[in-house]
Amino acid sequence: MSVSVIFRTFDPMKNLSTRRSIRQYSDKEVSSELLNRLMTEASRTQTMGNLQLYSVIVTRSEEMKERLAPAHFNQPMVKQAPVVLTICADFRRTTRWCEERKAQPGYNNFLSYQNAAIDALLYTQTLCNLMDEEGLGYCYLGTTVYQPQQIIDALELPQLVMPVATLTVGWPAEEPPLTDRLPMESFVHEETYHDYTSQDIDKYYHEKENLEENRHFCEINHKETLAQIFTDIRYTKKDNEAMSITLLETLKKQGFI
């Protein structure tokens, strides 16, 4: 019996230290063969109970991209990318397996959604890392959980299936600058959690707040601090509360609450 083994050559120029979100793509096709191989390899990632509580909807048609775009606030890359991947928390498949094998499933609850969502996000991150190695570009869309019902309707997702992540995928047609990151000491806690003092906040956010583009962002939006950009414009209390209600209602419709 012959065994096929894939050896991957590590390219030091393609790793997390140089990872970029790509929003503009060339016309070059992303072959099904390549994408299927990467999705298969990504399935080796960690999973709760070895159940693989996720599904991936692959969108290539212009018609389906048009249907998905409003759920992502019509961001241009949704329609421009060769491929859109919607990764879902999926307890439907496992539930159907149990039902067909004389077992009584009990996965219509929030804990099961949480487990499936974690599985789906672990899979998503592993797939992203593999795409980086191949030179593919992608952008992670956080909008997936903002208006999930639109995605559910477009993709005809049954109960116990919930969209949690979306990736637009293609060959890069841009090389944007690297975005800033907080220093490691700002998020790593030794032994126990250490709450943040005013001095800690000043230290950890100094570089971010003093980047030219962030200072300019405050100026054109007439805000005193960068934090106000997030609280008053980008992620407001009003929007967060409204979308939380929508998210909970959708989880109920999908059978997880």
Side-chain angles (χ1 to χ4, degrees), residues 16-27:
L16 283 175
S17 65
T18 57
R19 193 208 67 79
R20 294 168 168 83
S21 292
I22 301 297
R23 295 174 173 84
Q24 296 181 28
Y25 306 96
S26 74
D27 294 331

Side-chain angles (χ1 to χ4, degrees), residues 37-198:
R37 172 167 66 80
L38 296 180
M39 291 193 294
T40 298
E41 291 179 10
S43 69
R44 297 304 307 170
T45 198
Q46 308 94 313
T47 172
M48 194 202 79
N50 199 28
L51 288 173
Q52 296 179 247
L53 303 171
Y54 50 79
S55 284
V56 183
I57 314 299
V58 180
T59 300
R60 291 182 180 271
S61 75
E62 299 302 317
E63 177 187 356
M64 289 303 297
K65 291 175 191 174
E66 288 281 353
R67 292 182 63 184
L68 286 172
H72 299 290
F73 301 102
N74 290 304
Q75 295 178 83
M77 61 271 198
V78 175
K79 290 188 282 189
Q80 195 255 332
V83 181
V84 178
L85 302 178
T86 306
I87 300 93
C88 302
D90 184 350
F91 244 118
R92 175 75 172 187
R93 182 182 62 252
T94 301
T95 293
R96 290 292 299 121
W97 174 55
C98 293
E99 291 171 344
E100 294 293 328
R101 296 296 182 268
K102 302 179 181 179
Q104 296 297 319
Y107 307 124
N108 55 339
N109 45 66
F110 185 72
L111 178 63
S112 296
Y113 166 72
Q114 184 78 349
N115 286 329
I118 291 170
D119 255 25
L121 292 175
L122 284 169
Y123 178 87
T124 300
Q125 183 58 64
T126 300
L127 181 60
C128 286
N129 292 346
L130 293 172
M131 291 193 296
D132 278 326
E133 291 183 12
E134 293 289 340
L136 281 168
Y138 59 87
C139 185
Y140 177 93
L141 305 185
T143 46
T144 306
V145 295
Y146 290 176
Q147 302 179 88
Q149 191 61 53
Q150 292 186 43
I151 299 173
I152 290 167
D153 293 342
L155 300 180
E156 302 179 11
L157 304 181
Q159 282 204 323
L160 300 183
V161 181
M162 184 76 177
V164 295
T166 299
L167 300 173
T168 56
V169 181
W171 298 102
E174 63 170 345
E175 189 174 352
L178 294 175
T179 51
D180 64 280
R181 290 292 187 268
L182 294 173
M184 185 197 73
E185 57 266 31
S186 71
F187 56 83
V188 174
H189 302 254
E190 298 290 346
E191 307 299 343
T192 61
Y193 190 98
H194 301 282
D195 207 356
Y196 298 94
T197 65
S198 296

